[in-house]
Amino acid sequence: MTYAYLFKYIIIGDTGVGKSCLLLQFTDKRFQPVHDLTIGVEFGARMVNIDGKQIKLQIWDTAGQESFRSITRSYYRGAAGALLVYDITRRETFNHLTSWLEDARQHSSSNMVIMLIGNKSDLESRRDVKREEGEAFAREHGLIFMETSAKTACNVEEAFINTAKEIYRKIQQGLFDVHNEANGIKIGPQQCISTSVGSSASQRNSGDVESNSGCC
Amino acid sequence: MARAPGADSPKTEEARTSPIPGPGTPTGTPTRTPSRTASGALTAKPPLAPKPGTTVASGVTARVAAVTAGQVTSGHGAAAATSASTGQAPENPPGPGTGPPGTCEALVAVVTVTPAPEPAENSQDLGSTSSLGPGISGPRGQAPDTLSYLDSVSLMSGTLESLADDVSSMGSDSEINGLALRKTDKYGFLGGSQYSGSLESSIPVDVARQRELKWLEMFSNWDKWLSRRFQKVKLRCRKGIPSSLRAKAWQYLSNSKELLEQNSGKFEELERAPGDPKWLDVIEKDLHRQFPFHEMFAARGGHGQQDLYRILKAYTIYRPDEGYCQAQAPVAAVLLMHMPAEQAFWCLVQICDKYLPGYYSAGLEAIQLDGEIFFALLRRASPLAHRHLRRQRIDPVLYMTEWFMCIFARTLPWASVLRVWDMFFCEGVKIIFRVALVLLRHTLGSVEKLRSCQGMYETMEQLRNLPQQCMQEDFLVHEVTNLPVTEALIERENTAQLKKWRETRGELQYRPSRRLHGSRAIHEERRRQQPPLGPSSSLLSLPGLKSRGSRAAGGASSPPPLARRASVGPAPGPVVTAEGLHPSLPSPTGNSTPLGPSKETRRQEKERQKQEKGRDKERQKQEKEREKQEKERQKWEKEQEKEQQKQEKERQKQEKERQKLEKEQQKQEKKAQGRKLSLRRKADGPSAPQDGGNRSSASEARQDAYF
């Protein structure tokens, strides 16, 4: 399917906060309590519509365990958006947000849009982190905030789409250099030909021609 | 080596050997050992081998029949053999171990697949508790203890769901419909991406039986085979270990069997230790996320998940410095599908300590380093894929982490996983590198394939969805076998990449022990740690056996010392000298050193020292001999490498030619597109591909200098 833009997302946060479930809920619209542990990285993709433009979200779902952090860092490169997830029923996952955020800021482009997500909002009775705390943390660090439930699908769509909207807004404002793939944004194939972007794309192509990458 | 009672099922054997280190030498019971299991395996075989196909197709009843057949023919090997190949592998270890209750358990375990959740669940638990037994000193007394412990960490509290319940939650998966739910494939998978229908080729009965016999023969003379005929062992691993003997073979190949014998009771001890809550917490969260579509791990709090908890926890206590890494869980789970917890634990220890040291340590530096090594090797195995990945700046850790850390257990179809593990246990990490290289070569190795991977995103998607054909068992093994990536090459690349790492990123935080490349290296290390005791005339008189023999000769010294060790047991005296000779190598038996009572007369002491000196000399002599042999071996290896390199060159030449052709085609395509590059192309055209070619040949030359 063709798309106007492709955004790369990355989902980060402690192990067991529901990163993979959020992804699955968003891409497949289902909740699967039985799934494999994420080791390394998993992928998901889905089309969304923002302002009448088709946008493909390519989402990288990462391993949460501390020992994988060193590797997770290389996943940040070229991400336009990040979902930073904690579990509202486990305070320690909230406490670790600062170090995740540090990592994210350090290893990604400064324009990356970060959405803070308090997941498992369906487990109200076991809540350990107040919504206000999440909001305060987000405000303090300039993040967008939402509480979601991957189980009931509550706010899941919104979380991904609002992030996309924010990225799109930044593109409109010219904050993102959309021609640099390192920013996590790619212009869709048909756009290359029809818009002014074409020239830069063909430049890249001709570069490839000379070195015979075989990509084009 | 105390592996005398050899060839019956791992469980019984272990139960028997643990109290007595070595009732006989490895060669001492050749007739008894194979014949016992042989009879079992053989009688079981006729119904079993054709069965997998039919059982998978016809479901539960057939499988029950198969198990009963095994049970009738013999209580031991047969049950193991039958259940292993009918997809009951996870159930088989407790079965043969506990005799009648065990076989009964195996039967019930089959029933778990039928929709009778409640009783099945109960008996499954019974089964798993009984599986605690034989490996540990007090078979029955142990069980409640462990269970109560598990209870105490709230693992069991309220999480015991019936299999049917769990399965119903899987029902949302489109791959599984109501009918398929009740059937497993022959490996025990109920669904999910690992589920393999009945597509696989099965080996003819007589071939399977032949192979079983050959393996039984090898088990009965294991040390001899490993030291003198390793090539043959390797070949047989490459052909695939018979499923009925796989668990046992893995334990022999990794030497975890001996480790278990030397540490009898240790696992139990580790189980009783409290453990660090930091790790236990994470482990608990991961239990239901390991092969959730395998019947053994499908039920929350079921015996599979319990055993998984036991061995992962035990490891964090065994290696507190390493703790628990999430990628260990799938590895442990695969082991548990084949053997009881205690055996799986020691096997896991060998993988983490010997085969892949550092893989599961904090920081994952070993994985990152292997990623770099892999990438360097890729340049040689598939220059096109290498260049593509480099251009798109795709770090190796982005795609190889899961492959390497889980030894492909979550990547390949199950039949291929088992074949890869068979080879891995024999040949070590080299196999992981080779498999990964083959996968990449067939995913990104041609211009045509790269055409659909224009950006990093497409490439990554491609790497997450590898072409089925290249993962298919026979094809993969064939490719892996023919890939000229040797241990020496990996080691050299290791040195080079380590140097680079230090230059760019500083010293490594974690310094893993030396990686051992498979069975033979483990075998040799063991021999170095436990050198022969007496005068070594026998040792020296054993010449290199064949022309190829530097290798063989290298190992020829092992049977006498082993035989002796088995009969003598861990004699304290010689161990001391051994430590003196190899201060860096900790001796597992070092603790038994006599503390030298102060009243000991000097005369005796001197006498002993004298004797020891004599032995020392002897040993040094042997050592020298061994070094010599080692050198010869290296020489031989080098020669072999040269040969492989030659072939490699040939291949690269062809590759180049192909590339040239492809470029030519591209050029024509471009021409057709009517771009105005024609002039330039005329000038550069002939040289442009040449240029690329030269560059790659230059790099080849550089690499060639390596050999």
Side-chain angles (χ1 to χ4, degrees):
Chain A
M1 241 212 288
T2 56
Y3 50 84
Y5 292 105
L6 185 150
F7 296 165
K8 173 181 165 181
Y9 279 16
I10 172 168
I11 312 183
I12 50 174
D14 277 9
T15 180
V17 297
K19 298 183 292 295
S20 303
C21 288
L22 278 171
L23 174 61
L24 194 70
Q25 183 58 262
F26 179 66
T27 56
D28 289 32
K29 296 194 198 305
R30 63 194 167 100
F31 176 66
Q32 196 181 355
V34 182
H35 62 91
D36 268 322
L37 172 79
T38 308
I39 291 167
V41 67
E42 298 287 339
F43 287 94
R46 204 187 118 182
M47 287 287 193
V48 294
N49 196 302
I50 310 271
D51 267 12
K53 295 247 186 209
Q54 283 290 90
I55 292 177
K56 183 176 180 179
L57 302 182
Q58 190 192 51
I59 304 143
W60 296 37
D61 172 28
T62 62
Q65 201 190 13
E66 176 69 30
S67 51
F68 285 89
R69 285 280 193 105
S70 55
I71 288 181
T72 311
R73 285 176 191 133
S74 56
Y75 303 151
Y76 287 107
R77 197 170 61 78
L83 306 189
L84 173 53
V85 188
Y86 68 93
D87 175 352
I88 63 155
T89 68
R90 279 160 58 215
R91 177 155 291 274
E92 73 268 20
T93 64
F94 181 75
N95 295 339
H96 292 157
L97 288 179
T98 323
S99 83
W100 280 112
L101 201 58
E102 254 169 44
D103 259 20
R105 299 254 197 243
Q106 192 183 338
H107 298 281
S108 62
S109 90
S110 54
N111 283 317
M112 184 169 77
V113 174
I114 302 176
M115 162 78 77
L116 180 65
I117 290 180
N119 192 32
K120 309 197 187 178
S121 65
D122 54 297
L123 301 174
E124 193 57 47
S125 57
R126 284 162 54 191
R127 180 187 280 276
D128 200 15
V129 183
K130 283 193 213 108
R131 167 189 278 274
E132 293 74 36
E133 292 177 86
E135 284 169 349
F137 185 92
R139 227 180 2 256
E140 193 183 325
H141 295 92
L143 319 174
I144 323 171
F145 175 70
M146 245 175 190
E147 282 197 351
T148 63
S149 165
K151 192 172 185 176
T152 65
C154 170
N155 270 346
V156 174
E157 289 272 318
E158 290 80 355
F160 282 88
I161 288 172
N162 288 356
T163 311
K165 278 183 184 157
E166 180 65 16
I167 296 168
Y168 188 69
R169 197 180 57 82
K170 284 194 171 187
I171 293 173
Q172 303 293 78
Q173 291 177 347
L175 291 171
F176 271 121
D177 174 12
V178 289
H179 303 142
N180 184 355
E181 249 192 64
N183 282 326
I185 297 163
K186 198 179 147 186
I187 296 171
Q190 94 277 33
Q191 307 287 311
C192 295
I193 306 150
S194 60
T195 67
S196 61
V197 180
S199 64
S200 80
S202 65
Q203 256 173 28
R204 217 177 55 223
N205 285 353
S206 63
D208 282 348
V209 167
E210 278 183 80
S211 44
N212 280 295
S213 78
C215 288
C216 39
Chain B
M1 266 281 315
R3 55 170 46 112
D8 44 8
S9 95
K11 196 81 210 187
T12 9
E13 171 192 0
E14 162 204 320
R16 227 162 263 159
T17 43
S18 48
I20 318 149
T25 62
T27 46
T29 52
T31 46
R32 188 178 137 250
T33 30
S35 64
R36 280 194 64 217
T37 335
S39 69
L42 281 175
T43 40
K45 214 59 210 192
L48 110 85
K51 220 114 223 177
T54 52
T55 39
V56 173
S58 62
V60 179
T61 43
R63 207 173 302 124
V64 174
V67 174
T68 343
Q71 180 193 354
V72 169
T73 42
S74 121
H76 297 277
T82 318
S83 50
S85 42
T86 45
Q88 292 302 321
E91 304 299 345
N92 84 58
T98 43
T103 40
C104 174
E105 189 267 333
L107 244 178
V108 181
V110 171
V111 182
T112 50
V113 193
T114 70
E118 225 60 80
E121 192 54 52
N122 288 342
S123 39
Q124 252 189 344
D125 288 335
L126 266 180
S128 82
T129 50
S130 77
S131 83
L132 307 176
I136 307 160
S137 49
R140 289 287 158 196
Q142 161 64 11
D145 191 26
T146 312
L147 272 185
S148 67
Y149 176 71
L150 288 171
D151 221 331
S152 73
V153 292
S154 82
L155 178 77
M156 307 271 295
S157 55
T159 53
L160 255 174
E161 297 159 27
S162 68
L163 181 62
D165 277 0
D166 242 54
V167 149
S168 70
S169 69
M170 295 187 287
S172 57
D173 195 300
S174 58
E175 289 173 65
I176 306 177
N177 54 43
L179 251 182
L181 276 181
R182 300 193 177 92
K183 285 191 214 161
T184 66
D185 67 2
K186 68 174 174 176
Y187 305 110
F189 284 97
L190 298 151
S193 58
Q194 301 277 22
Y195 185 85
S196 34
S198 46
L199 304 162
E200 287 140 64
S201 56
S202 55
I203 305 160
V205 192
D206 49 334
V207 175
R209 197 186 300 166
Q210 281 293 323
R211 287 188 183 170
E212 278 183 341
L213 284 174
K214 284 176 183 173
W215 274 92
L216 290 172
E217 208 286 308
M218 291 202 292
F219 289 148
S220 65
N221 284 298
W222 185 250
D223 287 318
K224 207 178 78 192
W225 274 91
L226 213 53
S227 50
R228 296 191 204 170
R229 306 194 62 189
F230 179 73
Q231 293 301 323
K232 196 77 189 171
V233 178
K234 189 166 93 178
L235 198 73
R236 287 180 180 168
C237 288
R238 287 181 173 185
K239 283 186 175 170
I241 299 170
S243 58
S244 58
L245 300 170
R246 180 166 273 131
K248 188 169 171 144
W250 286 0
Q251 293 177 71
Y252 270 78
L253 288 164
S254 67
N255 199 37
S256 70
K257 181 183 174 297
E258 194 187 49
L259 202 61
L260 187 150
E261 283 157 6
Q262 286 168 349
N263 292 282
S264 80
K266 178 79 177 171
F267 181 65
E268 189 192 8
E269 187 189 307
L270 294 170
E271 277 204 286
R272 289 179 191 281
D276 187 340
K278 173 178 79 172
W279 299 127
L280 300 186
D281 191 43
V282 188
I283 293 173
E284 255 182 78
K285 281 200 189 67
D286 289 351
L287 293 180
H288 68 286
R289 301 197 277 175
Q290 312 304 330
F291 301 107
F293 293 103
H294 192 278
E295 59 168 351
M296 195 174 165
F297 299 99
R300 281 246 176 160
H303 71 119
Q305 294 191 9
Q306 285 182 38
D307 281 352
L308 195 56
Y309 179 82
R310 293 167 64 205
I311 66 177
L312 292 174
K313 180 206 142 191
Y315 190 83
T316 64
I317 299 159
Y318 184 73
R319 286 263 180 277
D321 51 323
E322 299 212 354
Y324 164 66
C325 171
Q326 290 187 314
Q328 279 171 314
V331 174
V334 175
L335 294 171
L336 278 175
M337 289 177 201
H338 292 88
M339 55 188 93
E342 188 182 20
Q343 297 173 9
F345 171 74
W346 291 109
C347 218
L348 179 70
V349 166
Q350 287 298 79
I351 290 175
C352 301
D353 283 5
K354 307 288 185 206
Y355 286 87
L356 308 171
Y359 265 32
Y360 309 105
S361 311
L364 304 187
E365 286 175 330
I367 274 290
Q368 295 177 62
L369 194 61
D370 271 5
E372 298 303 323
I373 295 170
F374 170 75
F375 200 52
L377 294 173
L378 183 64
R379 191 173 61 179
R380 145 194 311 262
S382 177
L384 220 56
H386 178 268
R387 196 173 51 188
H388 180 79
L389 290 168
R390 199 191 53 212
R391 284 233 177 100
Q392 299 194 340
R393 296 182 61 212
I394 298 177
D395 277 353
V397 288
L398 291 184
Y399 52 88
M400 52 73 75
T401 307
E402 185 184 352
W403 296 354
F404 277 53
M405 293 188 93
C406 304
I407 320 174
F408 296 100
R410 307 198 329 168
T411 307
L412 301 173
W414 205 250
S416 305
V417 170
L418 296 176
R419 295 287 298 274
V420 166
W421 280 51
D422 287 348
M423 296 189 287
F424 167 75
F425 273 114
C426 182
E427 301 176 59
V429 76
K430 172 175 84 183
I431 295 301
I432 302 185
F433 279 104
R434 287 191 184 189
V435 172
L437 289 170
V438 168
L439 293 182
L440 268 192
R441 190 194 259 176
H442 289 277
T443 310
L444 302 174
S446 73
V447 174
E448 196 181 307
K449 283 170 180 135
L450 292 181
R451 209 160 280 154
S452 59
C453 301
Q454 299 216 342
M456 180 191 199
Y457 310 106
E458 289 82 1
T459 307
M460 286 304 295
E461 265 167 9
Q462 201 71 36
L463 285 171
R464 297 296 305 175
N465 297 296
L466 300 164
Q468 280 299 319
Q469 180 254 344
C470 76
M471 298 195 286
Q472 191 271 328
E473 175 185 1
D474 292 325
F475 178 83
L476 182 67
V477 172
H478 177 261
E479 290 285 296
V480 163
T481 310
N482 288 323
L483 200 66
V485 172
T486 61
E487 295 161 18
L489 183 61
I490 291 171
E491 282 304 316
R492 244 164 259 154
E493 208 48 70
N494 188 56
T495 314
Q497 294 303 328
L498 199 59
K499 198 176 152 215
K500 220 189 235 172
W501 179 297
R502 290 195 170 115
E503 281 165 6
T504 55
R505 306 169 67 163
E507 197 49 56
L508 279 103
Q509 305 284 309
Y510 178 80
R511 209 178 275 263
S513 54
R514 198 167 73 87
R515 168 152 69 193
L516 297 181
H517 289 275
S519 291
R520 194 179 51 196
I522 291 171
H523 182 74
E524 279 168 7
E525 188 203 54
R526 187 186 61 165
R527 228 182 38 213
R528 275 196 302 276
Q529 282 181 355
Q530 297 157 340
L533 311 179
S536 59
S537 57
S538 62
L539 204 167
L540 297 176
S541 66
L542 277 171
L545 292 171
K546 289 167 200 155
S547 57
R548 262 196 161 195
S550 45
R551 236 167 239 253
S557 55
S558 73
L562 284 166
R564 214 165 290 129
R565 208 161 45 73
S567 55
V568 173
V575 170
V576 178
T577 39
E579 282 186 322
L581 267 176
H582 308 278
S584 59
L585 298 169
S587 159
T589 45
N591 290 337
S592 53
T593 310
L595 289 170
S598 55
K599 285 281 170 190
E600 192 95 304
T601 61
R602 295 206 166 191
R603 204 170 46 88
Q604 275 177 333
E605 185 65 21
K606 258 186 196 164
E607 193 101 339
R608 230 197 50 188
Q609 281 177 355
K610 217 179 185 176
Q611 279 180 358
E612 238 152 58
K613 244 183 217 166
R615 273 191 227 146
D616 259 357
K617 255 185 205 162
E618 201 66 51
R619 206 161 292 123
Q620 276 166 7
K621 221 159 129 193
Q622 291 168 19
E623 193 69 15
K624 261 184 203 162
E625 189 69 21
R626 214 171 291 141
E627 269 168 30
K628 213 164 112 191
Q629 289 167 350
E630 184 72 15
K631 258 184 209 160
E632 264 171 54
R633 219 196 59 188
Q634 284 172 356
K635 210 166 113 190
W636 181 83
E637 258 174 18
K638 249 182 219 164
E639 269 165 33
Q640 217 194 16
E641 261 177 47
K642 250 185 212 162
E643 214 158 280
Q644 280 173 339
Q645 167 202 354
K646 231 190 247 165
Q647 294 170 355
E648 173 76 354
K649 258 189 192 162
E650 203 68 41
R651 246 205 27 247
Q652 283 180 347
K653 219 186 197 170
Q654 289 171 356
E655 177 96 357
K656 245 186 268 164
E657 239 143 79
R658 238 197 39 229
Q659 283 179 21
K660 224 187 211 168
L661 263 173
E662 275 163 2
K663 267 170 205 163
E664 210 71 48
Q665 272 180 351
Q666 275 184 322
K667 244 189 279 163
Q668 281 170 3
E669 274 174 21
K670 269 169 216 154
K671 224 178 240 169
Q673 281 172 8
R675 293 217 181 171
K676 292 184 179 174
L677 289 165
S678 55
L679 256 177
R680 266 191 70 193
R681 201 177 294 130
K682 252 171 203 163
D684 294 353
S687 72
Q690 276 292 335
D691 195 45
N694 282 343
R695 234 185 305 137
S696 68
S697 74
S699 66
E700 272 157 41
R702 236 177 298 137
Q703 281 170 342
D704 289 348
Y706 263 176
F707 281 105

